[in-house]
Amino acid sequence: MTLSKINRRRLLSGTVKSALAFPLLRSKLAKALILDPAEVPASTLAADPRRPQFHLLPARNWMNDPNGPVFWKGHYHMFFQYNPHAAVWGDMHWDHAISPDMIHWKHLPVALAPTPGGPDSEGCFTGTCVLHSGTPTLIYTGVRTVSADSPEATLRDGHNNFKETQLYATSADPELRTWSKRATPVIPTPPPGMKVTGFRDPAPWREPALYPDGWLMAVGSGTKEHGGCVLLYKSPDLQNWEYLHPVAGGAATGSSVANPVDSGDMWECPDLFPLGNKHVLIYSTQGKVFWKVGTLAAPDLIFHEEQSGLLDYGSFYAPKTQLDKQGHRILWGWIPETRPEAEFSASGWAGLMSLPRVLTIGADGRLNITAAPLAEKLRQHEEKLQLKPQTAAGGNELQSSQTLKGACGEILCHVKVGRTPFTLDLLDTTLHADPPKDPTSAGAAQVSLLSIRYSHANPKELVVDQQRVPISLAPTDPLELRFFIDGSVIELFVNNQTTYTKRFYYPGKTAPEIAVGITGNQADITRLSLWQLTPISKDRLTT
Ligand code: DQQ
């Protein structure tokens, strides 16, 4: 592990908010060099209850952004940013998995690795897979080192300078295992005259109504003068690209933090696509993912925003979309760790892929996000939860008699919210104290893993943990809360409108048993069900 790799890890992993981390990091460097992580045995990974059982994640080590999800020859392929050497960001490769249904996955070998001396010698960064005249084609960002004073640098970590270029590779393999890279970049420099804060994550798409003769492409970028932006290109063949203009952008932040992603002066992982009779733009910056619904039309080809919001209010970053075989727009995102790096690095794995989410435009013109109905395939029998009154002071009024076992399942709640305040907590009923506490004793409080608060005083929002999450309910609509709970992650879908992804951690070798705690009027709860979900992997290694 080199100095540059450690600093780039900080710069690009999307988990560090401030360049102030750099000095701290340098003092940790000596240790990191000596203590290169020993490989955690597969048996330890398989026994780690925090490893999800129905989400996609690599068998070991670090993963981040989804890359190039594509449906090809009857299978879904998922690639993702991957460090084959350790459970920390670095040395970016594209790992690869294949699925018949976007739920059950099998790992395939790493699909893309840096080429020594090539334009991706320091990393194969994020990109997209498209089918061009029947040929699976990748457009992705390659990173290589340039000298400290090089005007070509587009990425700096305070110690090293890098040049990002857009690269091209094709595959003739029916399983997309092997790729032939073009030796030279298809876009070797940012637009002339632009002093960019970054230049990466190309996302081409085909839209004959806008450009009948070829491909349009969004590239993540920005400038200090104008803030984060998305650059628009066009090409007849994915190899010869013409720069058009910034298709969308923010405003200068005036910030002087070293990493422009932290301030919003650099937008990563753009995705621009038609949906219904609108266009949607998604991009990631400042540790968050933003969506915008608007229009994009010829001849100006400028995105005109109508509505905007956050795509997820929790731990979710760098998402990417694809069309499924029925033509639905499916969104995948990276769910990062939120525990300290020393902990996840020692655990031997870090990060996972979200469940597939379906995007649509709601009647109010906002982006709607639904769990793809696929996870229902994993449901075992439905348990209708019985609620019993609680007497302990300060807790919920009601608690479910049944619990979710092994942190591997789904909970669904429909509730008519009105004038009565409503709260729901997912409760860890296992007492992790050592020695274990007597559950009936006063100090044996249950831990809330995730809390939801609704008050008619603010009928247009939920407070989820500390986040204020907007909701829009018609008077007759129940509030719908759908939780997917898997090892150390909860994906919450609220009324098919918005999502909140939460990581939760606990010590030891056993996942908590999870109950539902509620305060409110029991008669208003029209549905409260639990399903254990069947793991997709016999040993948590997702193969
Ligand atoms: N992750 C990739 C970059 C992208 C960032 C590097 C977002 O291409 O901008 O691993 O998480």
Side-chain angles (χ1 to χ4, degrees):
M1 188 176 284
T2 64
L3 169 65
S4 66
K5 287 210 165 89
I6 290 178
N7 285 316
R8 278 177 293 140
R9 178 172 81 226
R10 282 286 167 181
L11 190 63
L12 291 159
S13 65
T15 56
V16 169
K17 302 287 175 283
S18 162
L20 291 174
F22 290 154
L24 207 137
L25 204 71
R26 283 174 70 77
S27 65
K28 285 204 307 197
L29 177 66
K31 249 202 217 158
L33 282 171
I34 301 160
L35 301 174
D36 214 13
E39 190 159 286
V40 174
S43 56
T44 306
L45 290 159
D48 183 346
R50 290 155 289 272
R51 268 180 75 85
Q53 301 195 80
F54 58 90
H55 283 79
L56 171 63
L57 69 163
R60 60 174 61 254
N61 294 330
W62 168 278
M63 68 156 276
N64 56 296
D65 319 355
N67 293 157
V70 68
F71 182 68
W72 172 244
K73 290 197 184 293
H75 285 94
Y76 291 93
H77 289 262
M78 177 61 80
F79 306 91
F80 48 89
Q81 293 282 281
Y82 179 59
N83 180 355
H85 312 299
V88 292
W89 189 92
D91 200 15
M92 284 290 107
H93 289 55
W94 281 33
D95 205 0
H96 185 192
I98 186 170
S99 168
D101 57 6
M102 299 195 283
I103 285 289
H104 296 88
W105 293 97
K106 188 176 122 197
H107 291 306
L108 292 179
V110 163
L112 218 53
T115 299
D120 60 6
S121 57
E122 294 291 319
C124 301
F125 278 17
T126 283
T128 304
C129 182
V130 292
L131 305 175
H132 179 54
S133 307
T135 302
T137 306
L138 303 183
I139 304 288
Y140 68 100
T141 300
V143 176
R144 70 175 174 83
T145 317
V146 288
S147 63
D149 52 358
S150 170
E152 291 189 316
T154 58
L155 177 61
R156 298 168 179 81
D157 71 3
H159 304 283
N160 295 278
N161 288 352
F162 305 95
K163 178 175 166 63
E164 298 160 297
T165 56
Q166 314 317 323
L167 306 181
Y168 171 98
T170 55
S171 180
D173 175 350
E175 282 204 313
L176 306 183
R177 288 168 183 257
T178 51
W179 293 85
S180 310
K181 294 179 185 174
R182 191 179 115 152
T184 53
V186 288
I187 308 184
T189 59
M194 238 178 126
K195 223 168 158 265
V196 294
T197 47
F199 183 53
R200 58 182 174 271
D201 310 333
W205 84 101
R206 187 110 216 203
E207 198 171 348
L210 296 185
Y211 179 44
D213 303 325
W215 295 88
L216 293 165
M217 182 162 78
V219 178
S221 192
T223 60
K224 283 279 177 207
E225 296 72 40
H226 302 291
C229 73
V230 178
L231 305 176
L232 186 66
Y233 286 80
K234 69 173 185 179
S235 166
D237 55 7
L238 295 171
Q239 297 205 59
N240 296 285
W241 290 98
E242 180 189 337
Y243 172 62
L244 298 175
H245 48 251
V247 66
T253 66
S255 164
S256 56
V257 298
N259 180 356
V261 178
D262 289 343
S263 61
D265 284 327
M266 161 66 198
W267 289 2
E268 301 183 295
C269 302
D271 201 347
L272 180 50
F273 49 87
L275 190 63
N277 57 1
K278 297 288 176 191
H279 278 81
V280 175
L281 171 66
I282 289 169
Y283 60 94
S284 299
T285 192
Q286 293 179 290
K288 294 192 278 277
V289 184
F290 297 84
W291 62 260
K292 292 179 190 294
V293 169
T295 55
L296 180 69
D300 72 344
L301 291 181
I302 300 279
F303 181 83
H304 297 281
E305 174 185 334
E306 293 169 359
Q307 305 249 18
S308 62
L310 275 187
L311 201 59
D312 189 292
Y313 286 77
S315 310
F316 187 85
Y317 200 69
K320 184 132 198 99
T321 69
Q322 71 169 115
L323 292 177
D324 71 4
K325 60 181 170 189
Q326 287 90 22
H328 301 123
R329 182 60 66 170
I330 305 294
L331 177 105
W332 302 94
W334 164 41
I335 301 180
E337 300 298 315
T338 55
R339 54 183 163 168
E341 181 178 299
E343 278 179 35
F344 65 71
S345 162
S347 77
W349 67 281
L352 65 140
M353 192 69 71
S354 72
L355 293 175
R357 302 176 178 186
V358 184
L359 300 183
T360 51
I361 307 283
D364 58 0
R366 294 179 67 78
L367 190 68
N368 279 356
I369 309 163
T370 316
L374 306 157
E376 289 168 10
K377 279 180 156 187
L378 304 175
R379 282 177 175 174
Q380 298 173 17
H381 70 275
E382 178 173 355
E383 292 179 58
K384 296 203 161 121
L385 297 185
Q386 307 297 318
L387 293 171
K388 56 174 198 264
Q390 293 298 291
T391 46
N396 297 280
E397 290 170 355
L398 302 163
Q399 186 169 320
S400 63
S401 315
Q402 303 99 315
T403 52
L404 180 74
K405 312 287 188 301
C408 184
E410 178 187 345
I411 292 173
L412 179 65
C413 177
H414 287 178
V415 56
K416 285 189 271 172
V417 284
R419 299 200 67 78
T420 323
F422 170 79
T423 74
L424 183 149
D425 289 84
L426 294 183
L427 298 168
D428 174 351
T429 63
T430 326
L431 301 165
H432 290 296
D434 188 14
K437 286 185 185 156
D438 169 3
T440 58
S441 77
Q446 301 179 106
V447 176
S448 175
L449 300 174
L450 190 152
S451 80
I452 292 177
R453 304 280 176 266
Y454 170 86
S455 157
H456 77 278
N458 290 312
K460 291 197 177 306
E461 73 174 39
L462 286 184
V463 179
V464 183
D465 291 338
Q466 274 80 48
Q467 301 280 328
R468 298 169 64 172
V469 175
I471 49 166
S472 160
L473 297 180
T476 50
D477 281 352
L479 173 67
E480 181 186 275
L481 303 170
R482 192 169 178 196
F483 305 89
F484 291 95
I485 303 162
D486 194 4
S488 54
V489 64
I490 302 168
E491 286 190 65
L492 164 64
F493 292 80
V494 182
N495 283 77
N496 296 333
Q497 290 172 5
T498 193
T499 56
Y500 174 72
T501 304
K502 171 96 185 265
R503 300 303 305 272
F504 66 103
Y505 301 103
Y506 44 89
K509 293 196 162 58
T510 315
E513 283 196 27
I514 298 172
V516 179
I518 283 179
T519 295
N521 187 351
Q522 189 158 358
D524 292 338
I525 300 168
T526 52
R527 188 159 189 196
L528 186 59
S529 292
L530 175 157
W531 293 264
Q532 295 289 149
L533 296 185
T534 302
I536 60 171
S537 159
K538 61 181 184 337
D539 58 4
R540 294 183 194 265
L541 301 181
T542 333
T543 50

Short mmCIF file of all heavy atoms in Angstrom, two decimals, residues 12-14 62 64-65 67 81 89 92 124-127 141 164 200-201 261 266 268-269 284 317-318 334, ligand 1:
data_model
loop_
_atom_site.label_atom_id
_atom_site.label_comp_id
_atom_site.label_asym_id
_atom_site.label_seq_id
_atom_site.Cartn_x
_atom_site.Cartn_y
_atom_site.Cartn_z
N LEU A 12 -11.55 9.77 -2.61
CA LEU A 12 -12.58 9.32 -3.54
C LEU A 12 -13.59 8.36 -2.96
O LEU A 12 -14.53 8.00 -3.63
CB LEU A 12 -11.91 8.65 -4.74
CG LEU A 12 -11.18 9.67 -5.59
CD1 LEU A 12 -10.14 8.99 -6.43
CD2 LEU A 12 -12.15 10.43 -6.44
N SER A 13 -13.40 7.93 -1.75
CA SER A 13 -14.30 6.89 -1.27
C SER A 13 -15.67 7.45 -0.93
O SER A 13 -16.59 6.69 -0.70
CB SER A 13 -13.72 6.21 -0.04
OG SER A 13 -13.63 7.13 1.00
N GLY A 14 -15.82 8.77 -0.95
CA GLY A 14 -17.13 9.33 -0.68
C GLY A 14 -17.51 9.25 0.78
O GLY A 14 -18.64 9.55 1.15
N TRP A 62 -12.91 -4.72 -0.23
CA TRP A 62 -13.65 -3.46 -0.39
C TRP A 62 -14.41 -3.40 -1.71
O TRP A 62 -13.87 -3.77 -2.75
CB TRP A 62 -12.66 -2.30 -0.35
CG TRP A 62 -13.22 -0.98 -0.77
CD1 TRP A 62 -13.39 -0.52 -2.05
CD2 TRP A 62 -13.71 0.07 0.08
NE1 TRP A 62 -13.95 0.73 -2.05
CE2 TRP A 62 -14.15 1.11 -0.76
CE3 TRP A 62 -13.82 0.21 1.47
CZ2 TRP A 62 -14.68 2.30 -0.26
CZ3 TRP A 62 -14.34 1.41 1.96
CH2 TRP A 62 -14.77 2.43 1.10
N ASN A 64 -17.07 -0.45 -3.91
CA ASN A 64 -17.88 0.78 -3.91
C ASN A 64 -18.76 0.84 -5.15
O ASN A 64 -19.45 -0.17 -5.40
CB ASN A 64 -17.08 2.05 -3.60
CG ASN A 64 -15.89 2.35 -4.45
OD1 ASN A 64 -14.91 1.60 -4.46
ND2 ASN A 64 -15.90 3.44 -5.17
N ASP A 65 -18.75 1.88 -5.92
CA ASP A 65 -19.79 2.17 -6.91
C ASP A 65 -20.20 0.99 -7.80
O ASP A 65 -19.32 0.29 -8.34
CB ASP A 65 -19.31 3.24 -7.89
CG ASP A 65 -18.57 4.38 -7.25
OD1 ASP A 65 -18.47 4.44 -6.03
OD2 ASP A 65 -18.06 5.21 -8.01
N ASN A 67 -20.97 -0.38 -11.34
CA ASN A 67 -20.46 0.04 -12.66
C ASN A 67 -21.14 -0.82 -13.73
O ASN A 67 -21.20 -2.05 -13.60
CB ASN A 67 -18.96 -0.20 -12.77
CG ASN A 67 -18.12 0.69 -11.86
OD1 ASN A 67 -17.00 0.35 -11.52
ND2 ASN A 67 -18.65 1.82 -11.45
N GLN A 81 -16.84 -1.22 -8.42
CA GLN A 81 -15.50 -0.81 -7.98
C GLN A 81 -15.04 -1.76 -6.88
O GLN A 81 -15.77 -2.01 -5.90
CB GLN A 81 -15.54 0.63 -7.47
CG GLN A 81 -15.84 1.65 -8.54
CD GLN A 81 -14.61 1.94 -9.38
OE1 GLN A 81 -13.73 2.69 -8.97
NE2 GLN A 81 -14.54 1.37 -10.58
N TRP A 89 -10.52 1.35 0.45
CA TRP A 89 -10.48 1.82 -0.93
C TRP A 89 -9.06 1.79 -1.45
O TRP A 89 -8.12 2.13 -0.72
CB TRP A 89 -11.04 3.25 -0.99
CG TRP A 89 -11.25 3.73 -2.40
CD1 TRP A 89 -12.40 3.62 -3.12
CD2 TRP A 89 -10.30 4.38 -3.24
NE1 TRP A 89 -12.21 4.15 -4.36
CE2 TRP A 89 -10.95 4.63 -4.48
CE3 TRP A 89 -8.97 4.77 -3.09
CZ2 TRP A 89 -10.31 5.26 -5.54
CZ3 TRP A 89 -8.34 5.39 -4.16
CH2 TRP A 89 -9.00 5.63 -5.37
N MET A 92 -8.27 0.44 -7.80
CA MET A 92 -9.62 0.10 -8.29
C MET A 92 -9.63 -0.83 -9.50
O MET A 92 -9.06 -0.54 -10.55
CB MET A 92 -10.36 1.40 -8.64
CG MET A 92 -10.85 2.13 -7.42
SD MET A 92 -12.20 1.27 -6.58
CE MET A 92 -11.42 0.65 -5.13
N CYS A 124 -9.04 1.61 -12.53
CA CYS A 124 -10.18 1.58 -13.47
C CYS A 124 -11.36 2.12 -12.68
O CYS A 124 -11.94 1.40 -11.86
CB CYS A 124 -10.47 0.16 -13.93
SG CYS A 124 -9.09 -0.63 -14.74
N PHE A 125 -11.67 3.39 -12.90
CA PHE A 125 -12.73 4.03 -12.13
C PHE A 125 -14.09 3.75 -12.77
O PHE A 125 -14.22 3.00 -13.72
CB PHE A 125 -12.45 5.54 -12.02
CG PHE A 125 -11.47 5.91 -10.93
CD1 PHE A 125 -10.64 4.97 -10.34
CD2 PHE A 125 -11.40 7.22 -10.48
CE1 PHE A 125 -9.74 5.33 -9.32
CE2 PHE A 125 -10.52 7.59 -9.47
CZ PHE A 125 -9.69 6.65 -8.89
N THR A 126 -15.08 4.47 -12.26
CA THR A 126 -16.47 4.18 -12.62
C THR A 126 -16.79 4.43 -14.09
O THR A 126 -16.23 5.32 -14.71
CB THR A 126 -17.38 4.99 -11.67
OG1 THR A 126 -17.36 4.30 -10.42
CG2 THR A 126 -18.80 5.14 -12.14
N GLY A 127 -17.72 3.64 -14.60
CA GLY A 127 -18.15 3.77 -15.99
C GLY A 127 -19.43 3.00 -16.24
O GLY A 127 -20.12 2.57 -15.31
N THR A 141 -13.60 5.57 -16.68
CA THR A 141 -12.50 6.51 -16.42
C THR A 141 -11.25 5.76 -16.01
O THR A 141 -11.30 4.91 -15.11
CB THR A 141 -12.90 7.51 -15.31
OG1 THR A 141 -14.06 8.21 -15.75
CG2 THR A 141 -11.78 8.50 -15.01
N GLU A 164 -7.25 12.02 -15.33
CA GLU A 164 -8.39 11.15 -15.61
C GLU A 164 -8.71 11.26 -17.10
O GLU A 164 -8.82 12.37 -17.64
CB GLU A 164 -9.62 11.62 -14.83
CG GLU A 164 -9.43 11.56 -13.32
CD GLU A 164 -10.42 12.46 -12.59
OE1 GLU A 164 -10.37 13.70 -12.78
OE2 GLU A 164 -11.25 11.93 -11.84
N ARG A 200 -14.75 12.62 -14.63
CA ARG A 200 -14.86 11.17 -14.54
C ARG A 200 -16.31 10.67 -14.57
O ARG A 200 -17.24 11.43 -14.53
CB ARG A 200 -14.17 10.65 -13.28
CG ARG A 200 -14.66 11.20 -11.97
CD ARG A 200 -13.83 10.62 -10.81
NE ARG A 200 -14.18 11.23 -9.55
CZ ARG A 200 -13.61 12.31 -9.05
NH1 ARG A 200 -12.65 12.94 -9.72
NH2 ARG A 200 -14.00 12.81 -7.88
N ASP A 201 -16.41 9.35 -14.60
CA ASP A 201 -17.68 8.61 -14.48
C ASP A 201 -18.59 8.82 -15.69
O ASP A 201 -19.76 9.25 -15.56
CB ASP A 201 -18.41 8.99 -13.18
CG ASP A 201 -17.50 8.92 -11.96
OD1 ASP A 201 -16.53 8.13 -12.01
OD2 ASP A 201 -17.73 9.66 -10.98
N VAL A 261 -15.20 17.43 -4.15
CA VAL A 261 -16.44 16.66 -3.97
C VAL A 261 -17.05 17.01 -2.60
O VAL A 261 -18.27 17.03 -2.44
CB VAL A 261 -16.18 15.14 -4.07
CG1 VAL A 261 -17.46 14.35 -3.84
CG2 VAL A 261 -15.57 14.79 -5.42
N MET A 266 -17.58 19.49 -7.36
CA MET A 266 -17.36 18.40 -8.32
C MET A 266 -18.53 17.43 -8.16
O MET A 266 -18.82 16.99 -7.05
CB MET A 266 -16.03 17.70 -8.01
CG MET A 266 -15.84 16.31 -8.60
SD MET A 266 -15.78 16.34 -10.38
CE MET A 266 -16.10 14.62 -10.77
N GLU A 268 -20.02 13.78 -9.06
CA GLU A 268 -19.57 12.45 -9.47
C GLU A 268 -20.76 11.64 -9.99
O GLU A 268 -21.91 11.90 -9.64
CB GLU A 268 -18.97 11.70 -8.28
CG GLU A 268 -17.79 12.39 -7.63
CD GLU A 268 -17.19 11.57 -6.49
OE1 GLU A 268 -17.87 11.36 -5.47
OE2 GLU A 268 -16.03 11.16 -6.62
N CYS A 269 -20.44 10.62 -10.75
CA CYS A 269 -21.40 9.58 -11.15
C CYS A 269 -22.72 10.14 -11.68
O CYS A 269 -23.80 9.80 -11.16
CB CYS A 269 -21.67 8.63 -9.99
SG CYS A 269 -20.18 7.84 -9.39
N SER A 284 -23.88 12.51 -7.63
CA SER A 284 -23.45 12.35 -6.25
C SER A 284 -22.40 13.40 -5.91
O SER A 284 -21.46 13.62 -6.69
CB SER A 284 -22.82 10.96 -6.06
OG SER A 284 -23.77 9.95 -6.34
N TYR A 317 -24.63 5.88 -1.99
CA TYR A 317 -23.81 6.79 -2.80
C TYR A 317 -23.57 6.20 -4.18
O TYR A 317 -23.66 4.99 -4.39
CB TYR A 317 -22.47 7.06 -2.08
CG TYR A 317 -21.78 8.32 -2.58
CD1 TYR A 317 -22.30 9.57 -2.31
CD2 TYR A 317 -20.61 8.24 -3.33
CE1 TYR A 317 -21.69 10.73 -2.77
CE2 TYR A 317 -19.97 9.39 -3.80
CZ TYR A 317 -20.53 10.63 -3.51
OH TYR A 317 -19.93 11.78 -3.99
N ALA A 318 -23.23 7.10 -5.11
CA ALA A 318 -22.75 6.76 -6.45
C ALA A 318 -23.65 5.77 -7.19
O ALA A 318 -23.17 4.82 -7.80
CB ALA A 318 -21.32 6.19 -6.34
N TRP A 334 -24.30 2.05 -4.11
CA TRP A 334 -23.30 1.54 -3.16
C TRP A 334 -23.76 1.93 -1.75
O TRP A 334 -24.06 3.08 -1.48
CB TRP A 334 -21.95 2.17 -3.49
CG TRP A 334 -20.91 2.07 -2.41
CD1 TRP A 334 -20.63 1.01 -1.60
CD2 TRP A 334 -19.99 3.11 -2.03
NE1 TRP A 334 -19.59 1.32 -0.75
CE2 TRP A 334 -19.18 2.60 -0.99
CE3 TRP A 334 -19.77 4.42 -2.48
CZ2 TRP A 334 -18.17 3.35 -0.40
CZ3 TRP A 334 -18.77 5.18 -1.89
CH2 TRP A 334 -17.97 4.63 -0.85
N1 DQQ B 1 -15.76 6.37 -7.02
C1 DQQ B 1 -14.96 6.09 -8.17
C2 DQQ B 1 -14.96 7.33 -8.97
C3 DQQ B 1 -16.21 8.00 -8.54
C4 DQQ B 1 -16.22 7.72 -7.07
C5 DQQ B 1 -13.60 5.66 -7.71
C6 DQQ B 1 -17.58 7.86 -6.43
O1 DQQ B 1 -14.95 7.06 -10.36
O2 DQQ B 1 -16.21 9.37 -8.83
O3 DQQ B 1 -13.65 4.49 -6.94
O4 DQQ B 1 -17.71 7.07 -5.28
#
